[in-house]
Amino acid sequence: MTTLLELIPGQLTLDQLRQIRRGDVRLTLHPDATVAIRRSAAVVQAAAAGDDPVYGVNTGFGKLASKRIGKDELAALQRNLIRSHCVGVGAPLAPPVVRLMLATKAASLARGFSGVREAVVQTLLDALNAGLTPYVPCQGSVGASGDLAPLSHMTLALMGEGEMLVAGQRRPAGPELERAGVQPLVLEAKEGLALINGTQTSTALALEGLLRFETVYASAIVTGALTLDAARGSDGPFDPRIHEVRGQPGQIEAAAAYRALLTGSAIRQSHRDGDDRVQDPYCLRCQPQVMGACLDQARYVRDVLLREANAVTDNPLVFADNSGATMISGGNFHAEPVALAADALACAIAEVGAIAERRIAMLIDTGVSRLPPFLTANAGLNSGFMIAHVTAAALASENKSLAHPASVDSLPTSANQEDHVSMATFGARRLGPMLDNTAHIVAIELLAAGQGIEFLRPLRSSETLEAVHALLRQHCPPMPDDHYLAPDIERAACIIHEGELATLLNKRTAMVLLD
């Protein structure tokens, strides 16, 4: 069902961005926005008609800013800018990411500091509402002076000269615009520059990563609790007093979630007395500390990206009020805030996967878990989860490399005019593969923990964790003997990606992730 959503510039919420990402909204522009848009557009039009040099209006770009452009060539200047900057390579950005690009670019321009006409903002919204997906290659931006290449591909498609992504295939944009009833965009002074200056691609990619992280993170909380019970671990380390005296908010909330998930477990009661183990491994007892810190990190990222989704990030900017008007060149297009946020989220994603991998290793180690070796009753004839753990280890190791901060790298461009760049676009783009890796690690943990629970029957876990076990068994059978395990891993990963474990967590605990 499609919901009508009024775009109020500067007031996009995380829930609205979720809806835009899913594609189940139609956006309309709040009528109050038109006053500021028209005022700033008038300033640019006056500059275009005047004789003074104004960057991006009647000059070249970057290192070519000293080149004056004649009044009769200003529209051609903007068209040429877009055409020349369409140099992206690689696979196309996914439709959810492109939807976020279109929406956040419209929201930014609608703030009324960019000097574009209403028609520009409306074309972005019309394309979004029509379900059009400009074909945008994923590589080619260093995250400074704006996401120039990807935003140029988006803009060229709106001009009818580029391409659209239709059912996974590249199609000429012109006929797709015509079929959708969207008029091709005809650029006027400064409008091409305003469309491609900005951080909307890196922000959209980072938002995609953040919103996907919600589901993977929640799933890892659930599988961690299931593993704790399968290994007959202690719930003592989740005592609220421990976490309150430290005072870290994410840790306090994570501990409460684990307590709620484990409440009522007969497995826990069965070894409360007479267990000679003094302390569990860190992968079990330090879950609130690790997962809580990752939650705090994600909330920091949320705050940065929400600000950026509502920000004005092109250049130069137009400031006009009743006392006068001026255009000021600056550097809001530099995506360092997004780069640092993406790096922070990358570390959190890697850590969620890393501690889950350690829990799998613990489960298959009979000396620690006290379960059959490699979670198989007839070890030797059967290898059980031996190599499934190797896959988890491979993915966790890959994530370690991918988590290396992108923001500390900088390669000067544009003949050293753009001599420090953020690399935010790659920093945000690499979150997707990292989340895929972590989701598969958590999927393997779900299978391993589920198998561990089988060995403890007839004892039962908590009501919530038994529901998790039952959900797993709807999709993946137990493994008394070795069988083809890769399909089970993919089915378990689907449970995670589709949010079924996250839904259980939301229903059974008071934990709130990002809202």
Side-chain angles (χ1 to χ4, degrees):
M1 181 178 176
T2 301
T3 303
L4 190 63
L5 179 64
E6 191 170 57
L7 175 61
I8 304 175
Q11 296 185 36
L12 276 171
T13 67
L14 191 66
D15 189 58
Q16 289 171 340
L17 291 165
R18 280 196 197 94
Q19 293 178 69
I20 292 164
R21 172 181 176 261
R22 290 195 301 263
D24 55 8
V25 297
R26 286 181 56 85
L27 287 179
T28 61
L29 184 63
H30 192 284
D32 289 351
T34 59
V35 175
I37 294 172
R38 291 171 183 171
R39 182 180 291 163
S40 71
V43 174
V44 170
Q45 289 158 11
D51 296 323
D52 293 336
V54 180
Y55 177 74
V57 176
N58 54 16
T59 73
F61 306 103
K63 198 77 171 181
L64 301 175
S66 60
K67 300 290 185 180
R68 286 294 302 272
I69 309 299
K71 294 178 183 178
D72 59 341
E73 295 179 312
L74 297 186
L77 173 69
Q78 299 299 314
R79 290 195 302 272
N80 289 344
L81 173 70
I82 302 304
R83 292 165 179 164
S84 68
H85 285 46
C86 284
V87 293
V89 298
L93 293 176
V97 176
V98 178
R99 285 194 288 270
L100 288 168
M101 285 173 59
L102 289 165
T104 55
K105 176 54 77 173
S108 177
L109 298 181
R111 291 279 301 275
F113 298 100
S114 302
V116 304
R117 295 164 297 136
E118 290 171 71
V120 176
V121 177
Q122 192 58 52
T123 300
L124 289 160
L125 297 179
D126 288 345
L128 179 68
N129 292 338
L132 295 173
T133 304
Y135 184 92
V136 181
C138 68
Q139 293 172 286
S141 174
V142 296
S145 198
D147 289 313
L148 296 172
L151 289 171
S152 292
H153 282 276
M154 180 192 78
T155 302
L156 195 70
L158 299 180
M159 292 163 56
E161 296 184 26
E163 295 171 295
M164 296 289 182
L165 190 64
V166 180
Q169 302 297 314
R170 299 167 72 164
R171 295 284 186 267
E176 297 302 322
L177 288 171
E178 185 176 358
R179 267 193 285 274
V182 177
Q183 288 295 314
L185 183 60
V186 179
L187 299 174
E188 294 189 4
K190 193 188 175 294
E191 291 178 342
L193 183 62
L195 281 160
I196 68 173
N197 259 182
T199 63
Q200 284 74 35
T201 302
S202 51
T203 301
L205 283 163
L207 281 167
E208 171 74 2
L210 179 68
L211 295 173
R212 285 188 60 197
F213 179 71
E214 278 189 296
T215 301
V216 175
Y217 177 89
S219 300
I221 290 278
V222 173
T223 59
L226 190 65
T227 293
L228 181 90
D229 232 14
R232 286 165 289 188
S234 172
D235 56 359
F238 307 126
D239 187 300
R241 292 169 292 185
I242 295 173
H243 308 285
E244 286 166 3
V245 297
R246 192 178 201 184
Q248 296 289 355
Q251 178 179 326
I252 291 168
E253 293 176 48
Y258 286 112
R259 290 195 303 274
L261 290 169
L262 291 158
T263 296
S265 169
I267 294 173
R268 175 65 185 115
Q269 293 302 319
S270 72
H271 62 95
R272 194 171 290 278
D273 298 319
D275 194 329
D276 60 355
R277 294 173 295 179
V278 178
Q279 291 184 323
D280 291 327
Y282 288 1
C283 67
L284 295 181
R285 64 181 159 110
C286 294
Q287 288 186 80
Q289 288 80 5
V290 174
M291 297 298 283
C294 291
L295 180 57
D296 287 337
Q297 192 91 315
R299 287 171 174 169
Y300 149 71
V301 173
R302 171 203 61 195
D303 292 345
V304 172
L305 296 183
L306 265 179
R307 288 193 293 267
E308 198 71 5
N310 285 292
V312 181
T313 55
D314 60 289
N315 178 63
L317 296 180
V318 180
F319 297 92
D321 55 32
N322 294 331
S323 62
T326 185
M327 294 180 66
I328 307 175
S329 287
N332 276 2
F333 47 65
H334 199 295
E336 192 76 3
V338 181
L340 290 169
D343 285 345
L345 187 58
C347 290
I349 294 168
E351 283 294 87
V352 169
I355 196 170
E357 181 274 327
R358 288 291 81 203
R359 292 193 296 267
I360 300 166
M362 180 274 306
L363 283 172
I364 65 173
D365 185 347
T366 188
V368 182
S369 69
R370 302 190 181 187
L371 293 167
F374 301 105
L375 300 174
T376 184
N378 193 1
L381 177 63
N382 294 306
S383 296
F385 282 80
M386 179 190 296
I387 307 305
H389 167 251
V390 172
T391 296
L395 297 174
S397 182
E398 186 176 307
N399 271 357
K400 291 176 187 178
S401 295
L402 287 170
H404 184 279
S407 58
V408 300
D409 185 28
S410 179
L411 197 65
T413 60
S414 193
N416 281 312
Q417 175 76 4
E418 297 159 9
D419 58 353
H420 181 278
V421 300
S422 72
M423 298 297 178
T425 318
F426 165 68
R429 179 165 55 85
R430 61 71 141 90
L431 300 176
M434 291 186 71
L435 284 160
D436 290 339
N437 290 342
T438 297
H440 278 102
I441 295 169
V442 174
I444 293 169
E445 183 188 13
L446 176 60
L447 290 165
Q451 188 65 24
I453 293 291
E454 303 282 350
F455 290 113
L456 304 181
R457 295 302 190 208
L459 292 173
R460 294 181 64 78
S461 185
S462 68
E463 180 183 348
T464 302
L465 294 180
E466 285 295 337
V468 172
H469 191 269
L471 173 64
L472 173 64
R473 290 292 171 250
Q474 289 174 21
H475 300 275
C476 305
M479 199 168 79
D481 296 300
D482 286 351
H483 67 240
Y484 184 23
L485 195 50
D488 288 353
I489 295 172
E490 292 305 325
R491 285 191 286 267
C494 284
I495 293 172
I496 291 160
H497 287 306
E498 291 172 7
E500 295 183 77
L501 296 187
T503 299
L504 271 171
L505 180 72
N506 292 338
K507 285 182 177 178
R508 306 298 175 92
T509 76
M511 191 175 197
V512 176
L513 298 182
L514 297 180
D515 289 324

